[in-house]
Amino acid sequence: MEDDVRELFGETADHFGHEILALEIADDHVHLFVQCDPKHSPADIARQFKSYSGKHLLERNPEIRESYFWGGGFWKVGYYVGTTGAVSEEVVERYIEETEHAPE
């Protein structure tokens, strides 16, 4: 599933003209550091990645819909967005790479 998420996020970034600077996938969440045109709001960017990947993940793996989602979507409704205005890109990339990604 992780490989599919990486592939689908890459396709989404390419389609919308975003650049993925860092991506880490944990069991229960994803850290995505993306550079994009300011014409896209953070809400639009989250929707782009979540809707495209969720739709295709459930199409590729229909068995997980019945087993885990009872017909619902792949991603939870919420998301967190932060910007790099106060810190460098290197700090964000290091945080994403070094953060332990085990479920809490």
Side-chain angles (χ1 to χ4, degrees):
M1 186 78 57
E2 182 177 333
D3 291 338
D4 284 343
V5 171
R6 288 183 187 284
E7 177 186 340
L8 292 166
F9 274 24
E11 290 173 12
T12 303
D14 289 344
H15 178 76
F16 288 100
H18 306 320
E19 180 182 355
I20 295 176
L21 302 176
L23 173 63
E24 289 294 330
I25 301 170
D27 291 342
D28 63 349
H29 66 280
V30 173
H31 286 184
L32 175 65
F33 184 31
V34 63
Q35 183 175 350
C36 59
D37 189 306
K39 72 180 179 185
H40 298 286
S41 73
D44 286 341
I45 295 163
R47 182 188 46 75
Q48 292 162 356
F49 280 97
K50 290 171 70 172
S51 64
Y52 182 81
S53 63
K55 175 181 183 277
H56 287 85
L57 286 166
L58 291 174
E59 285 175 356
R60 291 179 183 185
N61 305 282
E63 70 282 358
I64 64 173
R65 180 184 295 269
E66 289 83 28
S67 300
Y68 298 101
F69 303 107
W70 304 279
F74 185 80
W75 301 107
K76 288 188 176 183
V77 174
Y79 59 90
Y80 167 79
V81 172
T83 63
T84 60
V87 296
S88 70
E89 289 181 14
E90 292 79 19
V91 169
V92 175
E93 290 171 350
R94 189 170 60 244
Y95 168 79
I96 289 173
E97 291 168 3
E98 294 177 2
T99 299
E100 184 164 331
H101 295 286
E104 296 178 8

